[in-house]
Amino acid sequence: MMRDQVRRRRMPEEFGGLPIMVSTAGGLRYFFKPICQIDPDLLSAARMLIRKGDTVWDIGANIGLFTVAAAGLAGSKGRVVAFEPDTSLVALLRRTASLQPSEAAELLIIPAGMAGVMGFRSFAIASRARASNALAEYGNSQTGGVRELQTIMCLSLDECLKLLPSPDVVKIDVEGAEAELLDASSRFLRDARPALAIEVSPRNSAEIGRILVGSDYRLFDGSKPLLPNSDIESPAWNTIAIPAEKAGRFIQS
């Protein structure tokens, strides 16, 4: 009876108190938990990384929690680009975007997935909660099975750099496809060099660590404050990765 119910909520005041449309399709937690308790590590990453005027990419935006947090933190001179392939969630994100006040960053919703190369891919819609949607060859046990398979368009990070403003901060949550996405993104890591908030599962931790450390990024546990000498050797579940030359912007003294 609660499936795909929608309601309007508000972000915490530290993120501007902005409106956000939520749905039980993304998980019951979006409907009933206080917003600040839905994904505290994700909101903490936004708080630690995003500054006024920043351009932020949210890859795997889902219901838009990080998207709207970023819009509040970046403010009217910032810009937030949300990538989401699930058409149901895209409609929800567009409703959220239409509600934003002038003091929030501009929201651009792109109805596409992200992968190593541009092209069509098979996308699995999770039975349990759409927060676990994934490219068909990835995914995890949290899906509770597959509700349906959709054919979606995927873009690559390097291709997006040709079309969009270069990001200062990028959040990546693509349910297991993170290594594929980053391994094919030489220009993104070499030239754009944004700070990253990335969800890393144990099965691809070593590969993501190799890519990021090899690109001269410093790694931190996103569940903890960014402090001097708090680097980690291999990615955590919620990893923050900062280009070595930009560490002073983010690490607390």
Side-chain angles (χ1 to χ4, degrees), residues 189 193-195 212-220 231 241-251:
L189 294 175
R193 298 189 64 72
L212 292 175
V213 173
S215 299
D216 200 22
Y217 271 74
R218 294 173 61 179
L219 307 182
F220 301 86
D231 304 51
I242 299 173
E245 73 278 8
K246 297 181 181 180
R249 180 186 181 195
F250 302 103
I251 297 176

Side-chain angles (χ1 to χ4, degrees), residues 15 39-51 66 73 169 171 196-198 222 226 238-240:
F15 303 107
D39 195 335
D41 286 346
L42 187 66
L43 294 179
S44 177
R47 190 186 307 113
M48 290 189 286
L49 296 179
I50 299 169
R51 306 289 187 269
F66 189 88
L73 292 168
V169 177
K171 174 224 132 186
L196 304 174
I198 178 169
L226 297 178
N238 291 298
T239 293
I240 288 177

Side-chain angles (χ1 to χ4, degrees), residues 84-95:
E84 175 53 53
D86 184 335
T87 53
S88 176
L89 295 177
V90 166
L92 198 67
L93 287 165
R94 286 174 172 160
R95 288 180 65 181

Side-chain angles (χ1 to χ4, degrees), residues 168-235:
D168 300 291
V169 177
V170 176
K171 174 224 132 186
I172 301 175
D173 182 1
V174 287
E175 297 298 322
E178 292 82 7
E180 175 191 336
L181 183 62
L182 290 171
D183 197 37
S185 306
S186 58
R187 180 169 173 252
F188 176 82
L189 294 175
R190 183 187 66 239
D191 299 334
R193 298 189 64 72
L196 304 174
I198 178 169
E199 183 175 289
V200 181
S201 68
R203 69 186 177 197
N204 60 14
S205 175
E207 182 67 5
I208 289 175
R210 178 192 65 79
I211 295 166
L212 292 175
V213 173
S215 299
D216 200 22
Y217 271 74
R218 294 173 61 179
L219 307 182
F220 301 86
D221 187 336
S223 66
K224 300 176 182 178
L226 297 178
L227 300 173
N229 303 316
S230 63
D231 304 51
I232 54 178
E233 293 185 0
S234 59

Side-chain angles (χ1 to χ4, degrees), residues 8-228:
R8 176 172 169 169
R9 302 192 68 184
R10 286 199 171 272
M11 298 293 291
E13 285 303 318
E14 63 181 318
F15 303 107
L18 299 180
I20 179 172
M21 298 301 298
V22 302
S23 169
T24 53
L28 291 176
R29 60 181 179 159
Y30 292 101
F31 231 58
F32 298 112
K33 275 192 172 185
I35 293 288
C36 62
Q37 295 179 17
I38 290 174
D39 195 335
D41 286 346
L42 187 66
L43 294 179
S44 177
R47 190 186 307 113
M48 290 189 286
L49 296 179
I50 299 169
R51 306 289 187 269
K52 291 292 185 185
D54 277 353
T55 294
V56 182
W57 291 5
D58 185 358
I59 297 171
N62 193 254
I63 216 161
L65 189 66
F66 189 88
T67 296
V68 183
L73 292 168
S76 59
K77 294 184 178 180
R79 190 175 190 186
V80 180
V81 183
F83 299 84
E84 175 53 53
D86 184 335
T87 53
S88 176
L89 295 177
V90 166
L92 198 67
L93 287 165
R94 286 174 172 160
R95 288 180 65 181
T96 291
S98 71
L99 297 173
Q100 300 310 309
S102 58
E103 58 266 25
E106 175 189 359
L107 295 184
L108 174 63
I109 313 300
I110 297 183
M114 297 291 281
V117 295
M118 186 167 64
F120 294 111
R121 298 286 284 269
S122 183
F123 187 65
I125 303 298
S127 293
R128 185 171 296 161
R130 295 179 101 101
S132 298
N133 293 346
L135 292 176
E137 59 267 51
Y138 296 104
N140 56 60
S141 61
Q142 299 304 310
T143 61
V146 174
R147 187 187 308 187
E148 63 175 305
L149 288 174
Q150 299 178 356
T151 298
I152 64 167
M153 184 66 189
C154 279
L155 308 173
S156 72
L157 290 168
D158 283 0
E159 287 296 324
C160 286
L161 281 177
K162 301 175 184 178
L163 304 171
L164 296 167
S166 184
D168 300 291
V169 177
V170 176
K171 174 224 132 186
I172 301 175
D173 182 1
V174 287
E175 297 298 322
E178 292 82 7
E180 175 191 336
L181 183 62
L182 290 171
D183 197 37
S185 306
S186 58
R187 180 169 173 252
F188 176 82
L189 294 175
R190 183 187 66 239
D191 299 334
R193 298 189 64 72
L196 304 174
I198 178 169
E199 183 175 289
V200 181
S201 68
R203 69 186 177 197
N204 60 14
S205 175
E207 182 67 5
I208 289 175
R210 178 192 65 79
I211 295 166
L212 292 175
V213 173
S215 299
D216 200 22
Y217 271 74
R218 294 173 61 179
L219 307 182
F220 301 86
D221 187 336
S223 66
K224 300 176 182 178
L226 297 178
L227 300 173

